[in-house]
Amino acid sequence: AIQMTQSPSSLSASVGDRVTITCRASQGIRNELGWYQQKPGKAPKLLIYAASSVQGGVPSRFSGSGSGTFFTLTISSLQPEDFATYYCLQDYIYPRTFGQGTKVEIK
Amino acid sequence: EVQLVESGGGLAQPGGSLRLSCAASGFSFSSYWLTWVRQAPGKGLEWVANIKQDGSEKSYLDSVKGRFTISRDNAKNTLFLEMSSLRVDDTALYFCARDRDIYRSGVHYDAFDIWGQGTMVTVSS
């Protein structure tokens, strides 16, 4: 199975900060990667698919990039509602695999 | 309203069985791939299985192959996950999700855009 490694595992940031989360795949996955946000006690929410396509209704401060084995999720100006855990997910081959998650906390 | 509602979770003994259901409403159920994702307490997300629109294609996480069966009833707008030979490490909140099933330049992209609230499965003696 493809291993997805996110970094950092957690970070502390302030409202207004620019935040970047990375996701590395153990082998090339083209651009077949999505990003999800999960808040405590809630289901995940789709943010990005195909590495850089923003899901409808997602604020423009969220963006994704990357191809092959290295991907990033960027929040251009962190808002209070963005404090959550973020997961990448490769959809290149089965089984699909998630990264371990990155928890974004308030500084 | 577009929604997915899971049910069927509960307490099972190791080696036991459970059948999870996911009832869909507000969209054309038979037009979408569907997926099960689980989350052990305090842990991350884990993809479990998916199924094509007509049920002709299914894929599974290696650790559940031969023990779990995904199926769907398009007439009843319901997705199922039949779980048997349950193990303690199957304990998790199980989510069903709809896949937008995006195609671009011949490539299929997963995009799990609608999720249920989850149903908890606890495997313990």
Side-chain angles (χ1 to χ4, degrees):
Chain A
I2 294 178
Q3 306 262 13
M4 305 300 294
T5 303
Q6 288 182 232
S7 61
S9 296
S10 65
L11 65 90
S12 295
S14 301
V15 173
D17 284 352
R18 181 181 182 89
V19 169
T20 298
I21 298 168
T22 67
C23 182
R24 289 184 184 271
S26 59
Q27 66 183 76
I29 59 170
R30 301 190 296 199
N31 68 334
E32 295 176 57
L33 180 116
W35 289 97
Y36 294 81
Q37 175 195 66
Q38 188 181 32
K39 297 181 179 179
K42 300 293 186 181
K45 174 186 175 182
L46 173 65
L47 299 176
I48 304 283
Y49 61 91
S52 60
S53 295
V54 181
Q55 169 70 353
V58 172
S60 58
R61 62 182 179 273
F62 290 92
S63 63
S65 67
S67 182
T69 62
F70 185 75
F71 302 86
T72 62
L73 173 71
T74 299
I75 309 171
S76 60
S77 178
L78 199 65
Q79 297 302 300
E81 60 268 31
D82 302 336
F83 292 95
T85 300
Y86 294 84
Y87 295 91
C88 60
L89 169 68
Q90 68 80 18
D91 57 284
Y92 179 67
I93 61 169
Y94 291 110
R96 306 310 198 210
T97 43
F98 285 93
Q100 82 278 15
T102 295
K103 187 172 184 179
V104 177
E105 299 175 301
I106 301 172
K107 181 182 282 185
Chain B
E1 180 188 4
V2 174
Q3 65 175 355
L4 296 169
V5 178
E6 301 94 337
S7 61
L11 177 64
Q13 292 195 330
S17 300
L18 279 175
R19 187 194 202 201
L20 305 185
S21 299
C22 171
S25 59
F27 65 95
S28 178
F29 182 80
S30 61
S31 298
Y32 293 88
W33 284 76
L34 297 165
T35 295
W36 288 99
V37 171
R38 68 185 180 184
Q39 187 168 37
K43 303 297 184 182
L45 301 171
E46 184 173 51
W47 179 91
V48 175
N50 73 352
I51 186 168
K52 194 176 180 178
Q53 289 93 332
D54 62 358
S56 62
E57 295 182 28
K58 306 174 185 180
S59 295
Y60 296 93
L61 180 67
D62 287 350
S63 64
V64 309
K65 278 181 186 174
R67 301 189 301 120
F68 289 12
T69 300
I70 189 171
S71 63
R72 62 192 295 163
D73 184 338
N74 286 343
K76 295 184 177 179
N77 293 345
T78 305
L79 172 71
F80 302 100
L81 187 67
E82 195 80 46
M83 304 187 296
S84 63
S85 302
L86 282 164
R87 309 191 304 216
V88 171
D89 61 359
D90 294 320
T91 294
L93 184 63
Y94 284 74
F95 296 100
C96 59
R98 184 183 84 170
D99 183 358
R100 274 186 61 190
D101 195 26
I102 295 161
Y103 281 90
R104 290 182 182 169
S105 302
V107 177
H108 166 266
Y109 297 96
D110 289 352
F112 304 147
D113 65 336
I114 303 296
W115 294 69
Q117 83 289 349
T119 187
M120 186 68 202
V121 171
T122 303
V123 183
S124 174
S125 54

